[in-house]
Amino acid sequence: MPNPGTAFSVDLLIVTPDQLRKITFKLSKGFNTDGSVNWNLEFGLQERSKTTDPFHDVVQLKVNLQPALHAKANATAKKGLDDTQTSAAIAAADSAKLFSQGDISKASANNAAKRVIAVRGT
Amino acid sequence: MLNRRQYFFALAACLWGIVLSSSISSQTCTHLNDLAFYSKGGYTVREVRLESPIDFLHAISSQLNALKPQLSVQPGDVFKLDAFTDGKDLINKALDDAEKNQDPRSRIRVVLAKIANCGESAPPFQLDVVYRVFTTNYNAYLTHTWEFKSNELERPATTAATSQANGFVTLQPFVNYNHTRGLYSGVMVRLKLPGIFDNVEISGSGSTNSNVQDFQLSGTRTPRKTVWQRVDYRIAYTHSDVPAGSNRLREGTMLAQAFGATRPLGSKGVILRSGFSFEGGNQQTDIVNAAATRSLVDSGYGGLKTYLGATLRTKSYSLAGSYGLQLGTDGTTGHVDFIKNLVDVGFNGRWVPQHEKAGDVHKVLALETQFTAGFINVRTAVPVVQRFFGGNVSHEFIEGDTWLIRSQPFIRSIPENRLSALDVGGTKFFSANVTVAKAFWGRAIIPKEIATDPDFFPALEASKVSARNILVGVYLSKINVFGDILTHLDPVEADLTKLRTMLDSLPAEFPASLPEDQREALDDSRGLVSDATKIIQAMFQDRKTLPSKLKSLLKEQNSATCMDDDSCSQLTTLRFNLADFQTQLAGAGFTEAAAVGKAVKESLDRQQPALVRELDAIDITEAERLADADMKLVNATLDSFTKELNWFAVSPVAAFDAARVWPDKRGVRYGIGSGVRLSLVNFNVTVGYSFNPRRNPGEGRGAMFVTMDVTDVFR
């Protein structure tokens, strides 16, 4: 029987065969205090130039896949980020950094994050 | 010292430990569809359990016990959903920290949080919180190749008493068994090194009738922009003293080796492998009649070994083939005294039933076949240890290489080194081996609670799409096709500089003489324009990653309506906000600033359509190809984990072998056997008995076989 009362995370780590890139991929399901469900995807890419070097971050993204106040959020949760959303997500990381440095307002950073859903094509 | 019976008992205990670890709660929770029911303050936590299917291993259980006090939910606490969920995240973080020094090649980890044993009928209302941790990182066995280092196979973590990896030092005791050596044990110490060599490794093992010692310096390099994906090199010394029937084989060998593997080639992704090994040393035996066979009882030895191999891997099968050539001398001259030729072909297939009940054990049918043949051309004489003996232990052509080529006939019904009728062994052989196993009982690696969650697989598929598109975005920054458009963005950057200068020239507070609502509108617009400018300028500052952000910077689906649903590109957002702001500035008497704003806006209006057309014309198929190549690995691994791998599984095994050594009048020898395979994730231990249907005087009815191997999950 399906068990919706379970929170979980599935966390995959893979080093590519040349041992120069490490991909982390984590899908997790949790609960908000009101009992609603939230889904998150964390995706990371690390690189190094030699197999004996430590890895360094190339990209670390966390995407909330929480369904669905409108159709685009639902479509994102069900089908994943499309290419336009991906570009928006990478750019939103810049905005988040600017906000953390006090360079832009929280509203502007939030708008950049909202765009990740809003720019979905279909 | 354990005897064989105790050895089996230990295996059985492991299996029993797995079974016991799956606890069953005694009271039912009736509101699992509505967890908020339990988090409204009426329920307290009776017990917090942290479980793992492999927590009977001390290293795992101690790690989990250390985590317990740090969890955000504790016995006696009022049950809260956020603390319940946070516990899962804390466990993940702690395991991430513990893993930092291990540098695993891969692993999958599942952390499950659930409630159980709810006392709902009468106060006090209580429940248990259960966290279950499934991790494949009990050791780094999930490697990327069809073949595996023989030393790792011989020293699996599951037979090790303890395994400690502390940064640059690894200490690994091990225990193993074969019929010829009996039960043997030893220890391996590996130390990471800076410089040319990455590791130094020393190991030794012994039993009542044998001893083996190894020392090696090894390194790996990954040449870029060549067909070679990886090159390994190694200098080693190995000494062994092992029985061979009534005889003993003693040898000491110094090795200098290099091996390489290409990147996947062609549409099928064939990997070619090649390597060589220069060897020199000595060998001694107790044989008295070796001269008649032109064999050297006690001699020096030198030679060159080289090989060429190929691997083809698909979703359901792996095919590998190798040819090995050895030119050997007795060590005193450069004259070639013997030439050894080996051919080794393997086919492994794994098939998963199409329709399986979600969460049940994957009843994988595994077929493993291998054919090996060898021939020694004796030109003057050959050291006895270089001849073919055969038996139920696999010997590799080049010890220490990741590419395994059998160098001796393998037959499970006859003990190690006893296939040949002659004490001096043979000069020609073949062996064929077939093993079939089908899992019938166990537990899937993705727990039933997850596999039956209707949202899990759609979310997983969506995540794969997201990951692929993120990788495309990353590779956009690495392919060299954006040079022109980046140059054409220079005028935009200049416009932003002018805009920044204009914004900086405005007073911190707009004049009090203006109406308050006008000042507020000016402040709001200035904030929007300023933030949009900073965001775009931040993009320009990092030109290296700018290609992956160009879509977000330049494109929207519909610029007429995008401000209504927040879907405008950053440049369009800036233009819209700037249009409002320059109008407001003009109305407030800031005519010069308004003129700058208007000029910048009009400049951006002109440039953006041309930039969008240029962006649309850029061919990004190379970035997509690179992303797809990476995702092939991710998808294959996820497919294996979700559709094929079990935490543990028990499979009946059927084994058939045929082998022959020449000269030997007894002809082809057979082995027909059966056994049982215990699989922990992708690590398999097969124990069985193979009968010898054509027994000769002095031979037993057969032999027990114990094999350990690893299933490649990266097809």
Side-chain angles (χ1 to χ4, degrees), chain B residues 486-560:
Chain B
L486 294 182
T487 304
H488 298 155
L489 280 166
D490 287 344
V492 174
E493 193 172 14
D495 284 338
L496 295 181
T497 305
K498 285 181 204 162
L499 188 57
R500 181 87 262 149
T501 305
M502 181 271 276
L503 289 166
D504 291 343
S505 71
L506 293 172
E509 302 276 342
F510 286 105
S513 57
L514 294 171
E516 189 177 345
D517 57 346
Q518 190 177 0
R519 276 187 284 134
E520 281 181 6
L522 278 164
D523 279 334
D524 289 346
S525 293
R526 174 164 60 180
L528 290 171
V529 170
S530 174
D531 284 358
T533 306
K534 284 177 182 170
I535 288 170
I536 298 172
Q537 284 184 316
M539 288 182 175
F540 283 128
Q541 274 177 9
D542 186 1
R543 289 267 170 158
K544 196 177 167 190
T545 62
L546 184 55
S548 60
K549 303 167 193 165
L550 283 178
K551 249 184 191 170
S552 182
L553 173 67
L554 297 172
K555 277 190 76 174
E556 57 270 321
Q557 282 203 311
N558 188 338
S559 55

Side-chain angles (χ1 to χ4, degrees), chain B residues 480-670:
Chain B
N480 191 24
V481 293
F482 288 90
D484 288 345
I485 194 170
L486 294 182
T487 304
H488 298 155
L489 280 166
D490 287 344
V492 174
E493 193 172 14
D495 284 338
L496 295 181
T497 305
K498 285 181 204 162
L499 188 57
R500 181 87 262 149
T501 305
M502 181 271 276
L503 289 166
D504 291 343
S505 71
L506 293 172
E509 302 276 342
F510 286 105
S513 57
L514 294 171
E516 189 177 345
D517 57 346
Q518 190 177 0
R519 276 187 284 134
E520 281 181 6
L522 278 164
D523 279 334
D524 289 346
S525 293
R526 174 164 60 180
L528 290 171
V529 170
S530 174
D531 284 358
T533 306
K534 284 177 182 170
I535 288 170
I536 298 172
Q537 284 184 316
M539 288 182 175
F540 283 128
Q541 274 177 9
D542 186 1
R543 289 267 170 158
K544 196 177 167 190
T545 62
L546 184 55
S548 60
K549 303 167 193 165
L550 283 178
K551 249 184 191 170
S552 182
L553 173 67
L554 297 172
K555 277 190 76 174
E556 57 270 321
Q557 282 203 311
N558 188 338
S559 55
T561 61
C562 66
M563 288 301 279
D564 299 333
D565 63 2
D566 296 323
S567 65
C568 288
S569 68
Q570 271 101 355
L571 203 59
T572 304
T573 304
L574 174 62
R575 288 193 298 110
F576 274 109
N577 289 330
L578 191 53
D580 292 342
F581 189 43
Q582 60 97 9
T583 305
Q584 291 166 351
L585 285 171
F590 292 92
T591 51
E592 195 175 328
V596 172
K598 186 167 185 280
V600 169
K601 180 195 171 294
E602 288 172 354
S603 172
L604 296 178
D605 287 347
R606 282 193 303 275
Q607 294 178 71
Q608 190 173 2
L611 289 166
V612 169
R613 282 194 298 276
E614 193 173 355
L615 178 64
D616 285 341
I618 292 174
D619 182 3
I620 61 165
T621 50
E622 176 64 7
E624 291 173 331
R625 188 189 66 76
L626 291 167
D628 287 339
D630 280 355
M631 284 308 294
K632 191 177 174 188
L633 185 66
V634 174
N635 289 336
T637 309
L638 280 172
D639 281 351
S640 288
F641 280 121
T642 54
K643 298 173 184 169
E644 180 179 340
L645 282 178
N646 298 303
W647 270 114
F648 68 93
V650 178
S651 314
V653 171
F656 172 79
D657 303 310
R660 176 167 187 186
V661 171
W662 286 270
D664 188 340
K665 292 177 183 174
R666 295 176 300 184
V668 178
R669 313 298 303 281
Y670 298 97

